[in-house]
């Protein structure tokens, strides 16, 4: 079973990416992704 996850830019707090992850996973996603609002690659974290 999968749950939907929203990724948030750590610099500008814009919600840019959506993922699906395993329901039983304890880890939180953290990726370096491109943010169109910042116009650069920044760290994106999973929201609560």
């Amino acid at each position: 079973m999968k749950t939907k996850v929203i990724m948030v830019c750590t610099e500008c707090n814009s919600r840019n990416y959506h993922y699906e992850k395993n329901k039983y996973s304890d880890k939180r996603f953290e990726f370096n992704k491109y943010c169109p609002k910042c116009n650069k690659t920044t760290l994106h974290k999973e929201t609560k």
Side-chain angles (χ1 to χ4, degrees):
M1 189 133 179
K2 302 246 180 190
T3 57
K4 292 183 180 177
V5 174
I6 300 172
M7 304 298 284
V8 175
C9 178
T10 55
E11 291 188 18
C12 67
N13 293 328
S14 62
R15 296 166 184 248
N16 297 320
Y17 294 98
H18 303 277
Y19 285 100
E20 288 186 356
K21 77 171 195 178
N22 189 348
K23 184 177 180 180
Y24 303 106
S25 178
D26 293 337
K27 289 184 177 179
R28 289 194 163 228
F29 282 160
E30 289 186 358
F31 295 119
N32 283 321
K33 302 291 277 180
Y34 177 77
C35 178
K37 190 172 180 184
C38 297
N39 200 21
K40 61 182 175 180
T41 303
T42 59
L43 181 67
H44 284 71
K45 292 186 177 182
E46 177 183 338
T47 58
K48 291 185 178 179

